[in-house]
């Protein structure tokens, strides 16, 4: 199903998501020094640049490694414990999040790369991930959906910024002639 | 960094990974069926004691879960306000117990054993054309290239600092990601030149 | 046609376009020497020629036969016969430890993972690198990484080794060490390099310019001609 190049891209983006958990802090305008983990940005980029399937598999691979105990989540966390916590839904949500981001990128082709990536990352990377995240939170601790949504809302502005960052990076990296990514289906 | 796997052996290290995962699943099911507040609290305290005794002397690993504390307090407060103390304590207790038990499995099981335990789960993927070779290659690639990417990013950040004296901006990420895609092409070429894809076409 | 010890590489009427730009047009070339060097400017076609020989690239027209194997029809058998060393070892090493890196190629040629692991460790030990088996490759120096790449190719027992500017990131001692190592190889070697000194003891040097053969023959003459061209072109520049 996957060519060698697909497998390598999937793996390298999983490695990118992992590396982003350890990046020294970036200077993000507007964030005002609030420490935000970049890993969700990696998830959005995986979807936007690799496409729905490869993007989702890349995230799945990353989460598989976290589950078996690799300390790859921001702050060096890893292991099964994180999947039993109240915020596990956000991690699980990364998989459909990357898928939807990639799917929307393809659906909106052709068009302005920046705007497509921004819209796709907003829906896939923010809406989908947060929806899965707070539904899981509500179910796990027995809150009402409304309460969970209120608690969730604190984190939305930061992720909207990440969607913007994703759009910027994707518009440059994805537009690169050498990487030939700005096309839904590659001929060869 | 605190490695999730505990190198110093405990008795739990000797238990098979599959058994530990099974026990975890059963206990987690048990906890979701336990509604009595007092019962839950006792069970959770028992789990905590079990945890502390098993990894005696390595309690510092609990620091990994420090970021969760304000979150748990927030959830507890919100729930106490909406549905009363008893429910709040019950749901927090449930979470803490499961996190601790899951962490014990991770602390006492090496990654390779865990991957082996997962193999039966991965096998059905064969039907959609993904074989174990591809999965193990992908896992190896992530472990191999994570530090490479981190190092590459740090170098770019240093170059930026040397020129501007400021922290690297997000703008630097775009050429970095473009380079990762090109790196992927080089690596795929190196894999193919050693016969990776041809092997699959023969299968 | 396929006989053991067949050292012939025959390109007949090979055409190839790269990124929609024609590079080779009807290139024909016979290579039978044991040590062959490729020189030329960046983008002249050295890398593409090497990739045609190991089947990573297939010609748009014409045919290439390498040690009795036609690259289009018998592409699957090429990796076992032709080893390829890339410019940047960082791109070539795909596994976290030395033993896994060596075992990978062996598994691709059909060994099971146990056999491959045993063979890889034995090979490392035979080359005085036993302690690399479980070392994280991130801890190796650039020279050691390239050394590991070469071992990972040699363990597959190729009959032809292609090297694409393998030393550009290495210091002088490492270069000298590898040149000595390459000189001692029983395999046929084709190497592209910008460091012209390394070709002194080669049997033949081919200068490629814009996809065509500009000069071909004994190292001294071909290298002298290339140097002269470079000097001339700088002199003419404004």
């Amino acid at each position: 199903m996957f060519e060698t190049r697909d497998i390598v891209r999937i793996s390298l983006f999983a490695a990118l998501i992992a590396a982003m958990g350890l990046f020294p802090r970036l200077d993000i305008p507007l964030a005002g020094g609030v420490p935000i983990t970049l890993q969700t940005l990696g998830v959005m980029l995986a979807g936007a640049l690799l496409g729905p399937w490869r993007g989702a598999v890349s995230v799945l691979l990353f989460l598989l490694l976290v589950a078996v105990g690799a300390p790859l989540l921001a702050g060096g966390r890893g292991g099964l414990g994180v999947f039993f916590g109240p915020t596990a839904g956000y991690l699980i949500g990364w998989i459909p999040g990357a898928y939807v981001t990639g799917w929307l990128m393809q659906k909106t082709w052709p068009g302005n790369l920046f705007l497509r990536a921004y819209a796709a990352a907003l829906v896939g990377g923010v809406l989908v991930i947060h929806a899965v995240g707070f539904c899981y939170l509500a179910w796990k601790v027995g809150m009402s959906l409304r309460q969970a949504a209120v608690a969730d809302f604190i984190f939305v502005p930061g992720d909207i910024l990440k969607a913007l960052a994703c759009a910027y990076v994707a518009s440059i990296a994805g537009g690169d002639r050498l990487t030939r990514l700005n096309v839904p289906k590659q001929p060869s | 960094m605190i490695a999730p796997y505990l190198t110093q052996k405990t008795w739990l290290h000797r238990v098979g990974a599959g058994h530990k995962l099974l026990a975890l699943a059963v206990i987690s099911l048990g906890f979701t069926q336990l509604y009595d507040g007092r019962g839950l609290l006792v069970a959770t305290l028992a789990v905590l004691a079990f945890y502390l005794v098993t990894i005696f002397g390595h309690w510092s690993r609990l620091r990994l879960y420090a970021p969760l504390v304000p979150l748990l307090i927030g959830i507890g407060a919100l729930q106490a306000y909406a549905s009363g103390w008893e429910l709040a304590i019950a749901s927090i207790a449930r979470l803490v117990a499961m996190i601790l038990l899951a962490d014990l499995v991770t602390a006492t099981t090496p990654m390779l054993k865990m991957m082996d335990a997962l193999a039966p789960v991965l096998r059905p993927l064969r039907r959609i054309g993904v074989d174990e070779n591809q999965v193990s290659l992908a896992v190896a690639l992530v472990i191999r290239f994570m530090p490479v990417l981190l190092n590459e990013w740090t170098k770019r950040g240093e170059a930026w600092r040397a020129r501007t004296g400021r922290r690297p901006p997000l703008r630097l990420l775009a050429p970095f990601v473009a380079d990762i895609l090109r790196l992927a092409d080089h690596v795929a070429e190196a894999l193919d030149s050693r016969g990776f894809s041809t092997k699959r076409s023969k299968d | 046609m396929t006989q053991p010890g067949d050292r012939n590489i025959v390109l007949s009427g090979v055409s190839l376009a790269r990124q929609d730009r024609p590079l080779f047009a009807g290139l024909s070339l016979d290579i039978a020497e044991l040590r062959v060097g490729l020189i030329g400017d960046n983008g002249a076609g050295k890398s593409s020629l090497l990739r045609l020989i190991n089947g990573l690239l297939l010609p748009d027209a014409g045919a290439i036969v390498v040690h009795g194997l036609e690259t289009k029809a018998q592409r699957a058998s090429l990796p076992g016969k032709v080893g390829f060393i890339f410019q940047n070892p960082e791109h070539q090493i795909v596994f976290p430890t030395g033993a896994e890196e060596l075992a990978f190629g062996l598994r691709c040629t059909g060994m099971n993972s146990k056999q491959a692991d045993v063979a890889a460790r034995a090979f490392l030990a035979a080359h005085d690198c036993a302690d690399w088996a479980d070392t994280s490759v991130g801890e190796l120096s650039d020279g050691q990484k390239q050394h590991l790449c070469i071992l990972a190719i040699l363990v597959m027992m190729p009959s032809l080794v292609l090297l694409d500017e393998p030393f550009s990131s290495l210091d002088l001692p490492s270069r000298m060490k590898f040149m000595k190592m390459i000189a001692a190889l029983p395999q046929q070697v084709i190497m592209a390099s910008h460091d012209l000194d390394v070709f002194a003891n080669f049997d033949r040097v081919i200068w490629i310019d814009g996809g065509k053969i500009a000069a071909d023959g004994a190292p001294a003459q071909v290298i002298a001609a290339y140097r002269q061209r470079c000097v001339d072109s700088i002199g003419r520049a404004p």
Side-chain angles (χ1 to χ4, degrees):
Chain A
M1 189 164 95
F2 291 121
E3 284 178 32
T4 309
R5 183 157 77 156
D6 293 331
I7 297 174
V8 178
R9 283 186 169 170
I10 285 166
S11 310
L12 258 53
F13 268 71
L16 175 67
I17 299 172
M20 279 177 153
L22 298 171
F23 275 2
R25 250 174 48 202
L26 283 170
D27 220 13
I28 298 175
L30 302 175
V34 179
I36 53 177
T37 158
L38 281 177
Q39 290 187 308
T40 343
L41 173 57
V43 172
M44 297 177 196
L45 282 172
L49 291 172
L50 299 186
W53 279 110
R54 286 170 292 187
V57 171
S58 181
V59 172
L60 185 68
L61 175 63
F62 172 79
L63 292 178
L64 180 79
L65 281 164
V66 170
V68 298
L72 299 179
L73 284 174
R77 286 177 303 133
L80 289 169
V82 297
F83 291 94
F84 283 91
T87 54
Y90 293 93
L91 295 181
I92 305 297
W94 284 3
I95 300 168
Y99 184 90
V100 170
T101 306
W103 181 75
L104 278 174
M105 278 296 273
Q106 290 188 347
K107 281 290 143 190
T108 52
W109 189 85
N112 180 295
L113 192 52
F114 181 88
L115 291 178
R116 285 165 56 214
Y118 189 45
L122 273 183
V123 177
V126 183
L127 201 69
V128 171
I129 294 177
H130 279 267
V132 177
F134 81 73
C135 287
Y136 183 88
L137 178 68
W139 170 74
K140 189 83 190 176
V141 298
M143 287 175 164
S144 76
L145 277 177
R146 201 207 198 106
Q147 289 171 335
V150 169
D152 170 88
F153 209 74
I154 310 164
F155 300 98
V156 171
D159 281 350
I160 289 178
L161 282 181
K162 280 181 236 171
L164 206 57
C166 166
Y168 173 73
V169 173
S171 69
I172 291 178
D176 195 317
R177 192 175 56 85
L178 290 172
T179 54
R180 270 176 264 126
L181 277 166
N182 192 15
V183 200
K185 280 241 159 60
Q186 291 167 16
S188 64
Chain B
M1 195 197 297
I2 311 158
Y5 174 65
L6 206 61
T7 29
Q8 197 183 339
K9 300 279 182 287
T10 68
W11 68 271
L12 207 52
H13 280 79
R14 289 189 294 270
V15 180
H19 292 119
K20 280 185 277 196
L21 287 173
L22 198 66
L24 184 67
V26 170
I27 297 172
S28 108
L29 214 64
F31 264 92
T32 55
Q33 297 306 308
L34 199 57
Y35 294 109
D36 172 44
R38 201 164 301 169
L40 255 176
L41 206 57
V42 170
T44 303
L45 287 175
V47 167
L48 180 66
F50 178 67
Y51 181 90
L52 292 176
V53 169
T54 308
I55 63 154
F56 187 80
H58 298 278
W59 298 343
S60 64
R61 67 182 284 111
L62 279 172
R63 251 186 279 151
L64 276 175
Y65 294 95
L68 268 183
V69 173
L71 198 67
L72 288 174
I73 293 173
I75 291 170
L78 205 67
Q79 254 200 327
Y81 168 77
S83 8
W85 279 110
E86 211 160 298
L87 252 171
I89 291 177
S91 52
I92 301 296
R94 220 181 254 141
L95 281 173
V96 170
M98 286 323 299
I99 291 170
L100 290 178
L101 283 175
D103 188 56
L104 264 190
V105 175
T106 301
T108 59
T109 319
M111 271 181 69
L112 282 176
K113 287 262 168 63
M114 203 75 107
M115 287 296 293
D116 288 345
L118 280 177
V121 186
L122 296 175
R123 210 156 290 148
L125 287 179
R126 252 191 191 181
R127 240 179 262 167
I128 59 164
V130 181
D131 67 22
E132 301 96 293
N133 281 328
Q134 295 180 9
V135 177
S136 61
L137 173 70
V139 168
L141 285 172
V142 178
I143 296 169
R144 157 87 178 102
F145 281 101
M146 206 276 271
V148 174
L149 297 187
L150 195 60
N151 183 25
E152 184 57 33
W153 176 257
T154 313
K155 269 197 234 153
R156 279 164 191 254
E158 278 169 1
W160 178 265
R161 259 169 216 268
R163 286 169 60 198
T164 65
R166 293 203 211 105
R167 270 209 300 266
L170 200 58
R171 192 149 34 108
L172 228 50
L173 201 58
F176 178 65
V177 169
D179 270 1
I180 293 177
L181 289 165
R182 246 165 272 145
L183 171 67
D185 289 354
H186 286 299
V187 172
E189 198 177 41
L191 284 168
D192 281 341
S193 81
R194 286 203 275 165
F196 182 69
S197 67
T198 50
K199 183 201 164 213
R200 277 186 299 136
S201 62
K202 248 190 282 172
D203 282 348
Chain C
M1 200 173 146
T2 312
Q3 56 215 200
D6 180 357
R7 277 201 202 293
N8 286 315
I9 299 165
V10 183
L11 286 82
S12 30
V14 168
S15 297
L16 179 76
R18 289 292 274 159
Q19 271 135 21
D20 305 323
R21 209 164 39 90
L23 178 60
F24 298 123
L27 178 74
S28 291
L29 190 61
D30 270 37
I31 300 175
E33 290 80 2
L34 203 56
R35 297 285 179 268
V36 180
L38 294 180
I39 61 174
D41 303 347
N42 286 331
K46 302 186 300 291
S47 290
S48 298
L49 180 58
L50 289 174
R51 281 165 174 72
L52 281 169
I53 294 175
N54 86 334
L56 274 178
L57 291 176
L58 295 176
D60 300 329
I64 302 165
V65 178
V66 177
H67 292 199
L69 298 173
E70 207 275 314
T71 60
K72 233 179 221 169
Q74 287 156 300
R75 196 182 193 180
S77 313
L78 277 172
K81 278 223 161 172
V82 185
F84 199 109
I85 310 279
F86 293 82
Q87 183 172 358
N88 190 342
E90 209 69 89
H91 295 161
Q92 183 167 349
I93 301 176
V94 289
F95 285 86
T97 67
E100 285 175 280
E101 180 64 20
L102 262 68
F104 170 72
L106 296 173
R107 278 194 287 131
C108 285
T109 54
M111 272 192 200
N112 69 35
S113 37
K114 265 250 168 60
Q115 292 170 323
D117 183 64
V118 171
R121 283 169 193 278
F123 196 80
L124 280 171
H127 287 79
D128 296 322
C129 301
D131 46 332
W132 290 357
D134 297 305
T135 306
S136 161
V137 290
E139 291 165 25
L140 301 179
S141 71
D142 283 351
Q144 289 172 323
K145 277 181 191 154
Q146 194 59 290
H147 193 169
L148 181 66
C149 288
I150 294 174
L151 292 180
I153 292 307
L154 293 182
V155 74
M156 295 172 74
M157 310 278 178
S159 55
L160 168 64
V161 178
L162 307 174
L163 302 106
D164 189 6
E165 288 172 39
F167 309 136
S168 46
S169 63
L170 299 184
D171 56 16
L172 193 56
S174 310
R175 270 178 210 222
M176 290 177 151
K177 194 177 112 193
F178 287 124
M179 276 323 292
K180 205 176 145 197
M181 199 167 142
I182 287 164
L185 289 180
Q187 280 93 349
Q188 185 179 26
V189 171
I190 303 179
M191 175 158 99
S193 175
H194 289 303
D195 179 1
L196 304 177
D197 298 335
V198 301
F199 296 126
N201 295 319
F202 272 44
D203 303 316
R204 176 179 174 189
V205 169
I206 303 169
W207 168 16
I208 299 176
D209 194 33
K212 292 185 182 66
I213 293 167
D216 185 354
Q221 283 88 344
V222 177
I223 289 171
Y226 180 57
R227 272 189 211 280
Q228 191 56 49
R229 206 290 314 267
C230 296
V231 170
D232 290 350
S233 65
I234 292 166
R236 260 188 276 117

Short mmCIF file of all heavy atoms in Angstrom, two decimals, chain C residues 48-80:
data_model
loop_
_atom_site.label_atom_id
_atom_site.label_comp_id
_atom_site.label_asym_id
_atom_site.label_seq_id
_atom_site.Cartn_x
_atom_site.Cartn_y
_atom_site.Cartn_z
N SER C 48 23.72 11.14 -11.68
CA SER C 48 22.69 10.46 -12.46
C SER C 48 23.26 9.21 -13.12
O SER C 48 22.59 8.18 -13.19
CB SER C 48 22.12 11.41 -13.52
OG SER C 48 21.50 12.50 -12.90
N LEU C 49 24.50 9.30 -13.61
CA LEU C 49 25.12 8.14 -14.23
C LEU C 49 25.26 7.00 -13.22
O LEU C 49 24.93 5.84 -13.51
CB LEU C 49 26.50 8.52 -14.80
CG LEU C 49 27.28 7.40 -15.49
CD1 LEU C 49 26.47 6.81 -16.64
CD2 LEU C 49 28.63 7.88 -16.00
N LEU C 50 25.71 7.34 -12.01
CA LEU C 50 25.83 6.31 -10.98
C LEU C 50 24.47 5.69 -10.65
O LEU C 50 24.35 4.48 -10.47
CB LEU C 50 26.45 6.90 -9.70
CG LEU C 50 27.93 7.27 -9.78
CD1 LEU C 50 28.38 7.98 -8.51
CD2 LEU C 50 28.79 6.02 -10.00
N ARG C 51 23.44 6.53 -10.59
CA ARG C 51 22.10 6.03 -10.27
C ARG C 51 21.51 5.20 -11.40
O ARG C 51 20.64 4.35 -11.17
CB ARG C 51 21.19 7.19 -9.90
CG ARG C 51 21.41 7.68 -8.47
CD ARG C 51 20.79 9.03 -8.22
NE ARG C 51 20.88 9.42 -6.82
CZ ARG C 51 22.00 9.78 -6.21
NH1 ARG C 51 23.14 9.81 -6.87
NH2 ARG C 51 22.01 10.12 -4.93
N LEU C 52 21.96 5.47 -12.63
CA LEU C 52 21.53 4.61 -13.74
C LEU C 52 22.17 3.23 -13.59
O LEU C 52 21.56 2.20 -13.88
CB LEU C 52 21.96 5.22 -15.08
CG LEU C 52 21.09 6.36 -15.62
CD1 LEU C 52 21.79 7.02 -16.80
CD2 LEU C 52 19.72 5.85 -16.02
N ILE C 53 23.43 3.22 -13.14
CA ILE C 53 24.15 1.95 -13.06
C ILE C 53 23.58 1.07 -11.94
O ILE C 53 23.56 -0.15 -12.06
CB ILE C 53 25.66 2.20 -12.86
CG1 ILE C 53 26.24 2.86 -14.12
CG2 ILE C 53 26.41 0.90 -12.58
CD1 ILE C 53 27.69 3.27 -14.00
N ASN C 54 23.09 1.68 -10.84
CA ASN C 54 22.54 0.79 -9.80
C ASN C 54 21.03 0.65 -9.86
O ASN C 54 20.42 0.07 -8.98
CB ASN C 54 23.00 1.22 -8.41
CG ASN C 54 22.13 2.28 -7.78
OD1 ASN C 54 21.48 3.04 -8.51
ND2 ASN C 54 22.10 2.33 -6.47
N GLY C 55 20.42 1.19 -10.93
CA GLY C 55 19.00 0.97 -11.13
C GLY C 55 18.07 1.87 -10.33
O GLY C 55 16.86 1.70 -10.36
N LEU C 56 18.63 2.84 -9.60
CA LEU C 56 17.75 3.81 -8.92
C LEU C 56 17.05 4.66 -9.96
O LEU C 56 15.92 5.09 -9.77
CB LEU C 56 18.55 4.71 -7.97
CG LEU C 56 18.83 4.20 -6.57
CD1 LEU C 56 19.66 5.19 -5.80
CD2 LEU C 56 17.53 3.91 -5.82
N LEU C 57 17.74 4.93 -11.08
CA LEU C 57 17.12 5.60 -12.21
C LEU C 57 17.09 4.62 -13.37
O LEU C 57 18.03 3.85 -13.55
CB LEU C 57 17.93 6.84 -12.61
CG LEU C 57 17.96 8.04 -11.67
CD1 LEU C 57 18.88 9.11 -12.22
CD2 LEU C 57 16.57 8.59 -11.47
N LEU C 58 16.01 4.65 -14.14
CA LEU C 58 15.95 3.82 -15.33
C LEU C 58 16.02 4.73 -16.55
O LEU C 58 15.46 5.83 -16.54
CB LEU C 58 14.65 3.01 -15.34
CG LEU C 58 14.52 1.98 -14.21
CD1 LEU C 58 13.16 1.30 -14.25
CD2 LEU C 58 15.64 0.95 -14.30
N PRO C 59 16.71 4.30 -17.61
CA PRO C 59 16.86 5.16 -18.78
C PRO C 59 15.53 5.33 -19.52
O PRO C 59 14.70 4.42 -19.52
CB PRO C 59 17.88 4.41 -19.64
CG PRO C 59 17.78 2.99 -19.21
CD PRO C 59 17.41 3.01 -17.76
N ASP C 60 15.33 6.52 -20.11
CA ASP C 60 14.13 6.74 -20.92
C ASP C 60 14.23 5.97 -22.23
O ASP C 60 13.24 5.54 -22.79
CB ASP C 60 13.97 8.24 -21.21
CG ASP C 60 13.84 9.04 -19.93
OD1 ASP C 60 13.31 8.50 -18.95
OD2 ASP C 60 14.30 10.21 -19.90
N ALA C 61 15.47 5.84 -22.72
CA ALA C 61 15.70 5.06 -23.94
C ALA C 61 17.08 4.42 -23.81
O ALA C 61 17.91 4.88 -23.05
CB ALA C 61 15.64 5.95 -25.17
N GLY C 62 17.30 3.33 -24.58
CA GLY C 62 18.58 2.64 -24.49
C GLY C 62 18.57 1.60 -23.39
O GLY C 62 17.55 1.38 -22.74
N ALA C 63 19.72 0.95 -23.18
CA ALA C 63 19.78 -0.12 -22.19
C ALA C 63 21.11 -0.08 -21.44
O ALA C 63 22.11 0.42 -21.95
CB ALA C 63 19.61 -1.47 -22.88
N ILE C 64 21.07 -0.59 -20.22
CA ILE C 64 22.27 -0.65 -19.40
C ILE C 64 22.40 -2.07 -18.86
O ILE C 64 21.46 -2.60 -18.27
CB ILE C 64 22.18 0.34 -18.22
CG1 ILE C 64 21.98 1.76 -18.76
CG2 ILE C 64 23.44 0.28 -17.37
CD1 ILE C 64 21.52 2.73 -17.72
N VAL C 65 23.55 -2.68 -19.10
CA VAL C 65 23.79 -4.01 -18.56
C VAL C 65 24.96 -3.93 -17.59
O VAL C 65 26.03 -3.45 -17.93
CB VAL C 65 24.09 -5.02 -19.69
CG1 VAL C 65 24.40 -6.39 -19.10
CG2 VAL C 65 22.91 -5.11 -20.65
N VAL C 66 24.70 -4.34 -16.35
CA VAL C 66 25.70 -4.25 -15.29
C VAL C 66 26.03 -5.65 -14.81
O VAL C 66 25.16 -6.34 -14.25
CB VAL C 66 25.17 -3.39 -14.13
CG1 VAL C 66 26.19 -3.35 -13.00
CG2 VAL C 66 24.84 -1.98 -14.59
N HIS C 67 27.25 -6.07 -15.04
CA HIS C 67 27.69 -7.40 -14.62
C HIS C 67 26.69 -8.46 -15.05
O HIS C 67 26.31 -9.33 -14.26
CB HIS C 67 27.93 -7.45 -13.11
CG HIS C 67 29.10 -6.61 -12.68
ND1 HIS C 67 29.75 -6.77 -11.49
CD2 HIS C 67 29.74 -5.60 -13.30
CE1 HIS C 67 30.74 -5.90 -11.39
NE2 HIS C 67 30.74 -5.17 -12.47
N GLY C 68 26.20 -8.34 -16.25
CA GLY C 68 25.28 -9.34 -16.78
C GLY C 68 23.82 -9.10 -16.47
O GLY C 68 22.96 -9.84 -16.94
N LEU C 69 23.51 -8.07 -15.69
CA LEU C 69 22.11 -7.80 -15.36
C LEU C 69 21.63 -6.56 -16.11
O LEU C 69 22.26 -5.51 -16.05
CB LEU C 69 21.95 -7.58 -13.85
CG LEU C 69 22.31 -8.73 -12.94
CD1 LEU C 69 22.27 -8.28 -11.48
CD2 LEU C 69 21.36 -9.90 -13.14
N GLU C 70 20.48 -6.69 -16.78
CA GLU C 70 19.90 -5.56 -17.46
C GLU C 70 19.12 -4.76 -16.41
O GLU C 70 18.27 -5.32 -15.70
CB GLU C 70 18.98 -6.06 -18.57
CG GLU C 70 18.82 -5.11 -19.73
CD GLU C 70 17.74 -4.07 -19.47
OE1 GLU C 70 16.67 -4.47 -19.00
OE2 GLU C 70 17.99 -2.89 -19.72
N THR C 71 19.40 -3.44 -16.28
CA THR C 71 18.88 -2.73 -15.12
C THR C 71 17.36 -2.62 -15.12
O THR C 71 16.74 -2.51 -14.06
CB THR C 71 19.48 -1.32 -14.97
OG1 THR C 71 19.17 -0.56 -16.14
CG2 THR C 71 20.97 -1.37 -14.77
N LYS C 72 16.75 -2.62 -16.29
CA LYS C 72 15.29 -2.49 -16.30
C LYS C 72 14.63 -3.82 -15.94
O LYS C 72 13.80 -3.89 -15.05
CB LYS C 72 14.83 -2.04 -17.69
CG LYS C 72 13.93 -0.81 -17.67
CD LYS C 72 13.53 -0.41 -19.07
CE LYS C 72 13.58 1.10 -19.23
NZ LYS C 72 13.46 1.55 -20.61
N ALA C 73 15.05 -4.87 -16.63
CA ALA C 73 14.39 -6.16 -16.47
C ALA C 73 14.79 -6.86 -15.17
O ALA C 73 13.99 -7.56 -14.57
CB ALA C 73 14.71 -7.06 -17.67
N GLN C 74 16.05 -6.65 -14.76
CA GLN C 74 16.52 -7.39 -13.59
C GLN C 74 16.84 -6.46 -12.42
O GLN C 74 17.77 -6.69 -11.66
CB GLN C 74 17.75 -8.22 -13.98
CG GLN C 74 17.36 -9.42 -14.84
CD GLN C 74 18.52 -9.88 -15.70
OE1 GLN C 74 19.04 -9.14 -16.53
NE2 GLN C 74 18.93 -11.12 -15.49
N ARG C 75 16.04 -5.41 -12.32
CA ARG C 75 16.27 -4.39 -11.30
C ARG C 75 16.29 -4.99 -9.89
O ARG C 75 17.07 -4.58 -9.04
CB ARG C 75 15.14 -3.37 -11.39
CG ARG C 75 15.41 -2.08 -10.69
CD ARG C 75 14.18 -1.20 -10.83
NE ARG C 75 14.49 0.17 -10.42
CZ ARG C 75 13.60 1.13 -10.44
NH1 ARG C 75 12.37 0.90 -10.85
NH2 ARG C 75 13.93 2.35 -10.05
N ALA C 76 15.43 -5.99 -9.67
CA ALA C 76 15.30 -6.55 -8.32
C ALA C 76 16.58 -7.24 -7.86
O ALA C 76 16.85 -7.33 -6.67
CB ALA C 76 14.13 -7.53 -8.28
N SER C 77 17.39 -7.74 -8.81
CA SER C 77 18.61 -8.44 -8.41
C SER C 77 19.79 -7.49 -8.21
O SER C 77 20.83 -7.89 -7.72
CB SER C 77 18.99 -9.46 -9.49
OG SER C 77 17.87 -10.20 -9.86
N LEU C 78 19.63 -6.23 -8.62
CA LEU C 78 20.76 -5.30 -8.57
C LEU C 78 21.28 -5.00 -7.17
O LEU C 78 22.49 -4.99 -6.96
CB LEU C 78 20.41 -4.00 -9.29
CG LEU C 78 20.58 -4.03 -10.81
CD1 LEU C 78 20.01 -2.76 -11.43
CD2 LEU C 78 22.04 -4.19 -11.20
N PRO C 79 20.40 -4.75 -6.18
CA PRO C 79 20.94 -4.37 -4.86
C PRO C 79 21.89 -5.40 -4.27
O PRO C 79 22.81 -5.05 -3.53
CB PRO C 79 19.68 -4.21 -4.00
CG PRO C 79 18.63 -3.83 -4.97
CD PRO C 79 18.94 -4.62 -6.21
N GLY C 80 21.74 -6.67 -4.63
CA GLY C 80 22.64 -7.69 -4.14
C GLY C 80 24.01 -7.63 -4.80
O GLY C 80 24.99 -8.13 -4.28
#
